Structure formats: C-alpha cells, structure tokens
Amino acid sequence: MFTKDSIFWAWFNETQLNIIKRRTVIINLLNEKASPMMTWTLTNAFPVKMQATDLKSDASEVAIETLEIAYETLAVKAA
C-alpha cells in the first residue's frame, strides 16, 4: 500500500457494493535493494475479505492487516 494511492481502496469498495471487477494483481517480494526476488501474478482477481487488527491506545502491538483475494490462475516466478 502506498500513501495517496486510492486505486486499491476504490476497487475494494466496489466489491462491497457487489460490483465485481476482476483485475490482474502482481505481488512482488523485494530484497533489501528493492529488486524483485519472487513475483506472484493473479489473473482475474478480486478482493473478498479485508481484516485489520483492533487498534488499542494502551497496547504496543503490531498492527496487522489481512487481505483475501480470489483469483482464477496463479503464476509464480523466481528471480
């Protein structure tokens, strides 16, 4: 996720309104030099579930967000 990038949120919100637009999603695992080490390409994908950790002001826990994506095909490529 990137600051000021609302494309994902617009896509996710459409699915909440039962407007399913399937897209190609590319996920890159980057090394410390920001070069892709592995790439996952999901075709005809759409988000089905988003879950976030409850934020508590009196706790020092790491916030974890989970995104579940449905897709038709998966291609995995190692660098």
Side-chain angles (χ1 to χ4, degrees), residues 1 5-27 40-50 66-73:
M1 303 264 198
D5 182 4
S6 62
I7 295 171
F8 168 76
W9 290 111
W11 183 43
F12 181 76
N13 287 332
E14 287 174 345
T15 63
Q16 300 302 302
L17 300 171
N18 285 332
I19 302 170
I20 307 298
K21 291 186 180 175
R22 296 173 181 250
R23 299 181 184 204
T24 299
V25 174
I26 299 171
I27 303 167
W40 294 266
T41 303
L42 314 172
T43 55
N44 291 326
F46 60 94
V48 292
K49 183 179 179 182
M50 180 80 155
T66 304
L67 172 64
E68 186 176 324
I69 299 176
Y71 58 90
E72 286 184 15
T73 60

Side-chain angles (χ1 to χ4, degrees), residues 14 17-18 22 24 28-31 36-40 44 51 55-56 60 63-64 69 71-72 77 79:
E14 287 174 345
L17 300 171
N18 285 332
R22 296 173 181 250
T24 299
N28 289 313
L29 173 65
L30 305 177
N31 64 13
M37 297 303 296
M38 297 228 16
T39 301
W40 294 266
N44 291 326
Q51 184 175 355
L55 298 176
K56 300 175 186 173
S60 60
I64 298 175
I69 299 176
Y71 58 90
E72 286 184 15
K77 179 182 174 186

